Amino acid sequence: MMMQSRRMVLQGLVASSVVIGFDLVDREWVTAANATSRSIQIPGLDGVLYIDDATRRAVADDFGHIIHRQPLAVLQPGSVEDIVRLIRFARQYRIRVAARGQGHSCYGQSQVEAGVVIDLSSLNQIHAIGSDRVEVDAGVLWSQLLRATLPQGLTPPVLTDYLELSIGGTLSVGGIGGASHRYGVQVDNVLSLQVVTGEGKLETCSRYQNRELFQAVLAGLGQCAIIVRATIRLIPAATQVRVFQLFYDNLTNFTYDQTLLISDRRFQYVEGQIVPRDGGGWRYLLEAASFYTPPALPNERLLLIGLNYIRGQELIEDKSYFDFLNRLAPTVEFLKSIGVWSYPHPWINLFIPGTAVVNYIDQLVATLTPADTGQSPVLLYPVNTSKFKLPLFRVPREPIAFLLAILRTAVPPDAATVRRLVADNRRLFESNRDLGGYRYPVDAIPFSRSDWRQHFQPFWGRFVSAKRRFDPHQILTPGQGIF
Ligand SMILES: Cc1cc2nc3c(=O)[nH]c(=O)nc-3n(C[C@H](O)[C@H](O)[C@H](O)COP(=O)(O)OP(=O)(O)OC[C@H]3O[C@@H](n4cnc5c(N)ncnc54)[C@H](O)[C@@H]3O)c2cc1C
């Protein structure tokens, strides 16, 4: 069966772990050293297929450090064609495949046991920046994209709080941030996509072309296709940002003011946090930002008028637009330097219906302790759900929903703490679900197939038919546990 010339197979592969075939009986990749007559030859690649332990172990982990599933191999594609070739091969021999952006999800979403991980970080070119759009590879990071568009005075409308996430990774989940109350999530700002389906077909899709595929891929958790390129909307960027931090003791006042701000749109960015109060308990921090380009200046009096924050405690500072968006970078560097960044992260991210948020959060903070968060942030901010246009991005059926993100670090970083926090995530998920709330699925919540069915209602039927059509052999992204 070894029909292709050895030179072609070796092309682009690393000599120390040269994979030349796949053993159908043992279900393992083979090198020249252990190839047998029953080995099926793999297609020639422009990139590298790794089978060494260190590379496979690295992708059997993620930012959560809770789930570990080891693949048989890791593809670093040298081209889009490599992904087409690999998926066609995998489809034929029923090998499961997972795309990995930066592995920043928390519960094994980008992992695959005994399959192949496609590490998109090697596809990282910015192809073209126009006056209102940019065309990029899926492995590009948002920080990289922003550094390229800002010199042209342009920015993506919505950015996540942390910019070292891949474009493919956030477009497969949604991509929410402080500007979402104006522009929806990142998937709402995608003009078109190039994807490789589970059948190994390279397709272009948009609202006007292959719409079913477009809607099944954006926030589609990698189930129907792998995103390889995206064309993303750009808008004019301001150069400066005035950042306001306003403190509240009263939850009702806090959520009322946040809701006011996203309704009257006086700020470009609105988020908020539940923060520890000196002496115990919790209080609330409203974070809002006004973007501007001198000589124009923000009018502080008008921006703060009618708000009920605690006077005298407000913090106001100016930053460059890039430094504001990249504001987590110094904290992340610090956490890495003290080793805490590599602790387990049993995060929970929920969308709570606006009408239920005060009761829900009141009950949460009555029992929440710093041991439950590991001193990590707890985000709470509202969004206008009418801005979300993609069916698979699931939010409550109310005009306002609040994102609650308990960005837990497990301290101490042991299995018992992780178990306790993951069980707590499940409890919090269920009580929110019973109120009409949803989960934002980047986090660590045990989820059954029937949970997923309920999550995607009333679009579950459409999602199932898209899966049947675009990934009929169900090889893509099993780590989500949906199909
Ligand atoms: C510090 C930090 C801050 C964060 N802040 C925010 C925030 O402000 N807003 C927000 O919305 N999210 C935020 N997140 C969550 C983040 O958006 C998701 O975890 C996202 O999936 C991470 O991108 P990634 O490139 O690491 O994806 P991965 O974790 O590698 O992948 C996530 C999922 O997408 C699939 N996937 C990856 N690439 C592709 C592709 N090209 N095509 C198809 N499927 C693919 C994977 O198989 C997996 O199922 C944050 C995460 C961290 C760690």
Side-chain angles (χ1 to χ4, degrees):
M1 288 191 216
M2 299 283 187
M3 288 169 353
Q4 214 171 343
S5 84
R6 182 112 189 279
R7 191 191 54 74
M8 278 182 71
V9 174
L10 295 183
Q11 194 180 11
L13 300 184
V14 170
S16 61
S17 56
V18 176
V19 178
I20 63 165
F22 185 73
D23 187 315
L24 282 178
V25 177
D26 293 342
R27 309 283 301 164
E28 63 181 21
W29 302 91
V30 294
T31 62
N34 62 351
T36 64
S37 58
R38 63 185 189 220
S39 306
I40 302 294
Q41 182 165 3
I42 61 162
L45 297 169
D46 301 317
V48 183
L49 190 68
Y50 290 97
I51 55 168
D52 62 284
D53 280 351
T55 311
R56 291 188 298 130
R57 256 201 316 275
V59 298
D61 194 11
D62 54 32
F63 183 71
H65 307 301
I66 300 167
I67 303 287
H68 301 282
R69 300 188 186 107
Q70 184 129 322
L72 294 173
V74 180
L75 173 68
Q76 271 189 7
S79 60
V80 166
E81 289 67 37
D82 273 1
I83 298 179
V84 171
R85 291 178 190 123
L86 191 279
I87 291 194
R88 287 188 179 166
F89 187 85
R91 181 202 57 179
Q92 194 172 356
Y93 299 107
R94 304 291 192 271
I95 301 166
R96 292 178 307 165
V97 173
R100 180 184 173 98
Q102 288 293 306
H104 276 114
S105 35
C106 295
Y107 210 53
Q109 288 92 331
S110 61
Q111 300 177 30
V112 52
E113 184 76 46
V116 179
V117 167
I118 301 181
D119 173 1
L120 269 298
S121 65
S122 58
L123 279 193
N124 59 8
Q125 297 299 305
I126 297 176
H127 293 279
I129 302 178
S131 59
D132 64 352
R133 65 195 58 201
V134 58
E135 194 182 334
V136 285
D137 284 343
V140 166
L141 306 182
W142 289 97
S143 58
Q144 182 190 346
L145 176 57
L146 196 58
R147 284 194 176 93
T149 62
L150 282 185
Q152 321 232 11
L154 297 168
T155 179
V158 182
L159 286 149
T160 49
D161 294 344
Y162 183 53
L163 299 181
E164 307 310 314
L165 308 169
S166 78
I167 284 169
T170 67
L171 296 188
S172 64
V173 296
I176 192 163
S180 286
H181 70 277
R182 286 183 172 229
Y183 300 109
V185 262
Q186 289 177 323
V187 291
D188 294 304
N189 294 280
V190 174
L191 300 174
S192 68
L193 291 174
Q194 234 182 53
V195 304
V196 179
T197 67
E199 289 222 276
K201 290 189 185 147
L202 180 62
E203 302 264 16
T204 300
C205 56
S206 69
R207 275 177 67 188
Y208 311 105
Q209 180 186 357
N210 275 335
R211 188 186 168 103
E212 185 193 356
L213 181 57
F214 190 64
Q215 294 195 337
V217 172
L218 290 172
L221 306 179
Q223 296 306 301
C224 293
I226 292 182
I227 301 166
V228 292
R229 238 187 227 204
T231 302
I232 296 165
R233 196 159 81 87
L234 296 176
I235 59 172
T239 61
Q240 301 297 123
V241 177
R242 187 153 299 174
V243 191
F244 297 78
Q245 294 191 311
L246 312 173
F247 290 90
Y248 292 74
D249 281 327
N250 181 296
L251 174 61
T252 304
N253 288 349
F254 171 68
T255 53
Y256 179 89
D257 281 3
Q258 285 184 311
T259 307
L260 176 73
L261 295 187
I262 68 161
S263 305
D264 70 15
R265 295 163 55 99
R266 66 179 93 165
F267 288 100
Q268 281 81 2
Y269 166 102
V270 177
E271 288 199 6
Q273 295 187 40
I274 303 175
V275 293
R277 188 202 302 270
D278 286 346
W282 302 93
R283 64 178 183 155
Y284 306 95
L285 164 62
L286 194 158
E287 298 167 295
S290 178
F291 300 170
Y292 67 100
T293 302
L297 288 174
N299 183 330
E300 276 181 25
R301 196 185 61 79
L302 287 182
L303 286 171
L304 297 178
I305 207 160
L307 301 181
N308 289 304
Y309 58 93
I310 303 172
R311 296 290 189 275
Q313 295 188 356
E314 63 273 24
L315 301 171
I316 303 173
E317 65 174 331
D318 279 9
K319 290 189 175 198
S320 75
Y321 182 71
F322 182 81
D323 285 350
F324 171 69
L325 292 168
N326 199 34
R327 64 200 172 281
L328 282 194
T331 311
V332 170
E333 281 318 302
F334 171 71
L335 292 174
K336 282 183 179 169
S337 73
I338 59 171
V340 173
W341 191 249
S342 58
Y343 280 21
H345 293 107
W347 284 11
I348 175 166
N349 288 41
L350 300 175
F351 286 109
I352 304 170
T355 54
V357 73
V358 170
N359 275 342
Y360 189 90
I361 299 297
D362 258 339
Q363 284 178 27
L364 173 77
V365 297
T367 55
L368 190 74
T369 69
D372 298 323
T373 66
Q375 315 282 352
S376 293
V378 182
L379 308 184
L380 182 66
Y381 62 88
V383 284
N384 297 309
T385 57
S386 64
K387 298 287 175 193
F388 304 137
K389 308 291 186 201
L390 271 303
L392 299 184
F393 186 74
R394 308 298 300 130
V395 288
R397 290 179 202 88
E398 288 193 5
I400 305 280
F402 280 73
L403 175 71
L404 168 69
I406 310 180
L407 307 179
R408 309 179 195 262
T409 304
V411 184
D414 57 26
T417 308
V418 169
R419 258 198 313 278
R420 178 175 71 78
L421 296 176
V422 169
D424 199 42
N425 287 352
R426 180 69 206 186
R427 179 186 66 80
L428 289 169
F429 159 75
E430 285 177 10
S431 54
N432 182 50
R433 177 199 61 197
D434 296 345
L435 297 166
Y438 285 82
R439 158 195 191 195
Y440 179 37
V442 297
D443 55 2
I445 303 177
F447 232 50
S448 68
R449 286 194 165 68
S450 72
D451 290 325
W452 282 118
R453 193 175 309 121
Q454 180 173 31
H455 176 84
F456 284 113
Q457 289 297 0
F459 300 105
W460 175 249
R462 267 168 65 180
F463 199 23
V464 171
S465 34
K467 181 76 173 172
R468 281 201 194 115
R469 180 166 166 206
F470 299 114
D471 181 25
H473 301 298
Q474 304 207 352
I475 62 166
L476 292 182
T477 323
Q480 298 279 3
I482 301 174
F483 292 102

